[in-house]
Amino acid sequence: MVEGSGGRWRWLAVVIMVVSVSEPALSNPQTNQVGVLGCSPFNYTDVADSMRVLNATFADLRNQLSSDNKRFATSTQQPVYAMAQCRNYLSTADCVACLDAAVVATRNCSNKTGGRIIFDGCFLRYEDSYFYEQITDAGTYPTCGKRTDPKQDVFNTTAKQLLYELQLATPRINGFFAAAKQEASGGGGSGGAAFAVAQCIETIDETGCQACLTITYRNILGCLSKSASARAIAPACFMRYSNKRFFPNNQTTNLAAFLETGSSGKKKAIIGGVVGGVGIIILVLAAIFIYRRSKKPNAARRGNILGATQLKGPENYRYKDLKAATKGFSQENKLGQGGFGDVYKGTLKNGDVVAVKKLVISSRAKADFETEVRLITNVHHRNLIRLLGCSAKGEELLLVYEYMANASLDRYIYGDKRGMLNWKQRVDIILGTAMGLVYLHQQFHVCIIHRDIKSSNILLDDDFQPKIADFGLARLLPQNQSHVSTKFAGTLGYTAPEYAIHGHLSEKVDIYSFGIVILEIISGRRSSDIRVEPVTEYLLEQAWKLYENEEHLRLVDSTLDPNDYTTEEVKRILEIALVCTQSPPSLRPSMSELVIMLSSSDRSIFQNQPNRPTVISDLGNRVQVLSDTSATTASSTSHATASISDVSGR
Ligand SMILES: *[C@@H]1O[C@H](CO)[C@@H](O)[C@H](O)[C@H]1NC(C)=O
Ligand SMILES: *[C@@H]1O[C@H](CO)[C@@H](O)[C@H](O)[C@H]1NC(C)=O
C-alpha cells in the first residue's frame, strides 16, 4: 500500500532527524539521554507473543545485571536479540535503575521490532536480527555539549591527550572499560583537568573494540575546540569527556599500565593528539578489521535500527498511481535525466513527494529487476538515497525514491548554484559521501559497487548532507556492456582507467571516481572539461601538477573564502584525492581507510605519497591514455599517447 509506505518513512525520518540531547543533568545524571531513541520502522507480526518474549528478555537482562561486577549482558530468545551495558563505575543498584529507565524509554517503540536507547550510565538495544558484532552504522555520531570551558584551549589539549590514550588502552583492558583523569598540562591544579571514559561491548574482540573506538575518537575530536563535554556513540562502543568529574575517584583506571609494549616494556611515546607509529598500525588494523568483518555475509551486516532492520520486500506501487502523481510523466515534472532513465517529481495521493525513475533497461535485465530492487530497498544509510518501492507490472519499470529538495552536487560545484557551498560544507560532503560508500562496499551484507560515482549522482538534502543516488542499478546492465558505449562517454572523467580500458571491475573503481569527485568539490572544476583557460590540462593532470609543485592553494575554487581553509587542509584533502586516483587499483585505499584518513586532521597517517595518476581521455569512441604512472617526466603537457584501446570493440 502506497499510504502505508509514505507514513512509515515519514516516521523513520522523524526519528533520525530529531537529535535532542539534554545537556543539563536530570534528577539522575545516569539517565541523561545521549542521542535519540531509535526504533525500527517495522512492526512485529505476532505482537502479543513478541511482547511476551520481549518482557522476558528484559527481565533476563535485569537479572544478569543484578549480580555484582556484571555490567554487560545479552539475551536471545526468538525473535528478540537484546543487549544491555552499564558503565563500570556504576554500583549494581545504579546499574539496574539505569536499565529500568532504559526499558521504560524503549517502550515508546511500542510494537516495533527494534529499539535502542543510550544514557550516560547505560544503554539498551534489541533487534529481531543478530547485531552483537556490529561495530558501526548510520547511528555513529558525536554530540557536543553546549558549555565551553573557561580555558577551552588548555582543556582542549588536555582532553585530547587523555582521549587519545583512552582509545588506545581500553581495548587492552579486560572488560573493555576505562575511566581516567588528566591534569591540565600547565599543572598547578587551577582547573582545566579533563575526565573521560571509554567502553566497548563484550561480544567483540580487542581489534573490534579498537576499530570502534578509533571511529568514536575521531568523531569526538570535533567537539574539543568548542565544548567542555561531549559523547560519541557507536553500536559497539561509547566515549565521553567532560571538564567535570562524572565518575568516583576510586574508579579511575591507571592507563599507563596498558600503554606499555609487551616485550620491551618501554612506554610508547605519546604526544598529545598526534597519532604516531602506534596510531598508524591501529588505524590500519581498524580498517582491516572493518573490512574483514564486513566481508562476512552475516545477519548483522543487514543493518539495524538507525540503518535498517530486516530484509523487507519493496513497496509495490500501482502504475496508474505513479502516472497520476507525475502528471502523466509530464515535462514540467521532469527532474532530470539519469544514466538509467528519466526522473520525475511525483506527489502521491497522501501528499508524499517522491522521485519516480523510468528505467530504460533491456528485457533480459527484467528478470533480475525484482531481485535487485529487493536488494536496494534494504539499503538504509543516511548518505544513500532511499528506494521506497517500484512498479513492475505496468508497461514500464518504475522506481520510487525519496525526494531531495536540493539539486545535485554538480550544480553547486560548477552549475547554476556555483559558489553557494563554503569550505566546511564541502569537506562535510566529501566525508558524507565516503560514509555512504563504506556502507555500500563494506557494511551492507553484499558488496555493492556503484560504478558511476560522479557529482551529478550525489544529491544534497536540506542540510546539504550528501546522498548518493543510482546505486545498485549498474548490476542490471549486462556484465560486458556496463563500462562501454554512450553512457560511458558521459562520465569518462570519473572512470578508473582499468575499467574504462579493460572492463576490470572492483570496489577500487568507485574509489577512483570518488577521488575525482573530491577534486571537483575543492576546485569547482568539471573533471571532463578539457581545456579551461588559463589552465590547459584535465582536472586530474592539473591537480597532480600543483601537488607536485607544492602549489596546492592554486587548485582551490576561487569562489571560496580564503579565510575558511588552510594550506595544510587543502594539501591533506588533495593528497587523499590523489591517493584514490592511483593505478594500479591495489594502491588505492579502501573506503573505510579513507573515512579514517578524512576524519583525521593528521597527515602522518599516510604511509605513502600518492603516485602520479593515469589520465585518460576519450577521442570519439576511443579511450586514450594521456599520461601513465610509468611516465618519467613531470610535465603533463606532453600528451604522448602511451596506449590506445578500442573500447567499443570489447
Ligand atoms: C510487558 O511489560 C509491560 C510493562 O511492564 C506490560 O505493560 C505489558 O503488559 C507486558 N506485556 C506482556 C505481553 O506481558
Ligand atoms: C569507592 O568509594 C565509595 C565511596 O565514595 C565506596 O562506597 C566504594 O565502595 C568505593 N569503591 C571501591 C571499589 O573501592
Side-chain angles (χ1 to χ4, degrees):
M1 278 288 295
V2 171
E3 240 90 313
S5 152
R8 194 173 86 202
W9 296 117
R10 205 167 30 226
W11 182 87
L12 182 66
V14 168
V15 167
I16 292 174
M17 301 309 293
V18 185
V19 180
S20 65
V21 175
S22 35
E23 176 59 24
L26 303 175
S27 53
N28 178 352
Q30 299 314 331
T31 54
N32 172 40
Q33 191 174 326
V34 180
V36 288
L37 165 70
C39 300
S40 150
F42 306 116
N43 289 321
Y44 282 124
T45 39
D46 184 345
V47 176
D49 191 54
S50 305
M51 281 303 164
R52 193 184 45 75
V53 176
L54 195 59
N55 282 5
T57 313
F58 289 160
D60 180 34
L61 292 175
R62 191 177 200 277
N63 192 30
Q64 292 185 51
L65 293 181
S66 302
S67 83
D68 283 349
N69 60 44
K70 193 154 164 100
R71 296 291 174 269
F72 177 77
T74 60
S75 181
T76 313
Q77 298 176 55
Q78 292 304 330
V80 180
Y81 294 83
M83 178 186 287
Q85 185 172 39
C86 292
R87 313 304 161 212
N88 291 29
Y89 56 79
L90 258 58
S91 68
T92 303
D94 283 346
C95 174
V96 170
C98 190
L99 175 69
D100 288 345
V103 167
V104 169
T106 59
R107 293 284 180 201
N108 286 324
C109 292
S110 64
N111 50 13
K112 302 293 176 196
T113 59
R116 172 160 77 179
I117 183 86
I118 299 163
F119 290 142
D120 272 340
C122 65
F123 88 88
L124 169 68
R125 178 179 184 187
Y126 64 92
E127 299 278 352
D128 65 349
S129 62
Y130 181 78
F131 66 89
Y132 298 167
E133 294 172 75
Q134 187 187 7
I135 309 270
T136 63
D137 69 357
T140 300
Y141 53 82
T143 41
C144 307
K146 292 197 172 53
R147 286 180 298 114
T148 48
D149 189 88
K151 294 181 188 165
Q152 189 71 31
D153 282 356
V154 179
F155 176 71
N156 182 339
T157 313
T158 314
K160 196 168 181 179
Q161 165 89 30
L162 174 59
L163 291 165
Y164 175 71
E165 294 186 9
L166 202 58
Q167 57 90 24
L168 272 190
T170 307
R172 303 175 189 176
I173 298 173
N174 208 357
F176 296 148
F177 176 85
K181 175 187 179 181
Q182 171 96 30
E183 293 293 351
S185 35
S190 59
F195 301 86
V197 299
Q199 186 176 36
C200 290
I201 60 173
E202 294 176 27
T203 38
I204 54 172
D205 60 11
E206 181 179 333
T207 323
C209 178
Q210 185 64 67
C212 191
L213 289 176
T214 302
I215 293 163
T216 49
Y217 170 66
R218 300 279 163 213
N219 284 341
I220 211 167
L221 287 186
C223 299
L224 276 179
S225 63
K226 52 181 191 265
S227 300
S229 69
R231 287 94 174 156
I233 58 171
C237 62
F238 175 83
M239 205 175 224
R240 175 184 175 188
Y241 74 77
S242 176
N243 62 348
K244 299 208 172 85
R245 174 177 289 286
F246 60 94
F247 49 85
N249 213 353
N250 59 7
Q251 295 290 337
T252 309
T253 316
N254 176 16
L255 296 183
F258 299 94
L259 297 169
E260 313 273 322
T261 53
S263 50
S264 68
K266 243 189 191 171
K267 193 173 179 190
K268 285 182 178 161
I270 291 165
I271 304 136
V274 176
V275 183
V278 190
I280 294 171
I281 296 161
I282 298 293
L283 286 171
V284 170
L285 277 180
I288 291 170
F289 180 81
I290 296 169
Y291 185 72
R292 190 167 56 81
R293 289 233 62 89
S294 53
K295 280 280 155 175
K296 276 199 211 162
N298 177 326
R301 230 51 58 204
R302 289 175 191 167
N304 317 68
I305 303 184
L306 299 168
T309 295
Q310 51 181 203
L311 286 173
K312 286 271 168 168
E315 209 66 55
N316 276 312
Y317 292 84
R318 285 193 302 195
Y319 182 80
K320 72 177 177 77
D321 288 343
L322 295 179
K323 192 171 174 186
T326 57
K327 296 187 185 155
F329 303 103
S330 69
Q331 202 58 30
E332 145 200 14
N333 276 41
K334 189 163 157 180
L335 293 170
Q337 238 162 330
F340 304 89
D342 295 344
V343 187
Y344 299 85
K345 180 175 178 176
T347 309
L348 300 173
K349 277 196 202 119
N350 64 1
D352 282 355
V353 180
V354 294
V356 182
K357 179 177 284 244
K358 254 184 164 177
L359 271 194
V360 185
I361 51 172
S362 69
S363 54
R364 222 191 99 233
K366 274 188 187 170
D368 302 325
F369 180 73
E370 219 153 295
T371 325
E372 289 308 313
V373 167
R374 180 171 291 270
L375 182 79
I376 307 167
T377 309
N378 284 286
V379 173
H380 302 243
H381 189 279
R382 63 175 157 176
N383 297 116
L384 299 170
I385 287 282
R386 291 280 344 253
L387 176 65
L388 303 175
C390 65
S391 157
K393 292 208 178 81
E395 53 246 68
E396 296 186 73
L397 301 180
L398 302 175
L399 292 177
V400 181
Y401 288 97
E402 65 177 325
Y403 174 76
M404 282 298 115
N406 283 329
S408 50
L409 179 59
D410 57 330
R411 289 176 55 192
Y412 286 88
I413 305 178
Y414 36 70
D416 54 337
K417 295 170 189 290
R418 172 142 198 237
M420 280 178 63
L421 295 175
N422 65 29
W423 175 260
K424 178 165 186 313
Q425 284 170 319
R426 295 184 196 216
V427 173
D428 285 349
I429 289 169
I430 293 172
L431 185 60
T433 306
M435 302 282 241
L437 280 171
V438 174
Y439 187 82
L440 283 184
H441 286 182
Q442 298 173 279
Q443 292 174 337
F444 193 52
H445 66 112
V446 296
C447 168
I448 298 178
I449 303 172
H450 190 294
R451 305 192 214 185
D452 202 13
I453 289 294
K454 54 183 173 183
S455 299
S456 58
N457 263 341
I458 298 169
L459 307 184
L460 299 179
D461 72 8
D462 294 342
D463 298 322
F464 295 102
Q465 286 300 309
K467 285 181 182 264
I468 303 170
D470 267 4
F471 53 85
L473 298 182
R475 290 162 61 105
L476 292 170
L477 295 168
Q479 280 291 312
N480 53 352
Q481 264 182 35
S482 50
H483 67 286
V484 297
S485 75
T486 50
K487 173 187 158 292
F488 173 68
T491 51
L492 187 67
Y494 298 95
T495 312
E498 78 278 6
Y499 187 45
I501 297 170
H502 305 294
H504 290 166
L505 182 64
S506 71
E507 295 104 294
K508 298 300 174 79
V509 163
D510 287 348
I511 310 281
Y512 182 97
S513 310
F514 175 65
I516 301 289
V517 170
I518 297 180
L519 292 180
E520 291 193 330
I521 292 175
I522 55 177
S523 69
R525 252 195 90 180
R526 195 191 291 271
S527 63
S528 56
D529 278 349
I530 307 183
R531 309 275 180 252
V532 180
E533 291 300 333
V535 180
T536 53
E537 301 119 327
Y538 280 106
L539 175 58
L540 181 55
E541 295 174 277
Q542 183 199 11
W544 173 257
K545 201 169 169 188
L546 294 175
Y547 172 74
E548 253 191 339
N549 298 338
E550 306 247 341
E551 297 178 299
H552 315 102
L553 290 181
R554 285 186 50 203
L555 187 70
V556 179
D557 189 345
S558 57
T559 67
L560 282 167
D561 179 351
N563 298 319
D564 275 2
Y565 52 85
T566 63
T567 313
E568 268 307 291
E569 260 181 296
V570 172
K571 183 171 179 187
R572 186 174 74 86
I573 303 279
L574 176 56
E575 220 158 39
I576 291 174
L578 290 171
V579 163
C580 292
T581 53
Q582 299 179 103
S583 287
S586 57
L587 290 177
R588 298 171 207 153
S590 72
M591 268 331 296
S592 51
E593 287 168 321
L594 281 166
V595 166
I596 291 170
M597 290 180 191
L598 285 166
S599 337
S600 161
S601 55
D602 173 18
R603 286 190 45 238
S604 72
I605 64 171
F606 295 103
Q607 297 184 71
N608 298 310
Q609 297 294 312
N611 285 334
R612 182 189 182 78
T614 302
V615 178
I616 55 171
S617 159
D618 69 323
L619 236 63
N621 56 1
R622 297 166 85 84
V623 169
Q624 192 181 33
V625 175
L626 290 181
S627 63
D628 202 270
T629 41
S630 55
T632 45
T633 162
S635 162
S636 43
T637 47
S638 62
H639 292 136
T641 304
S643 79
I644 296 178
S645 177
D646 187 349
V647 169
S648 55
R650 281 180 195 264

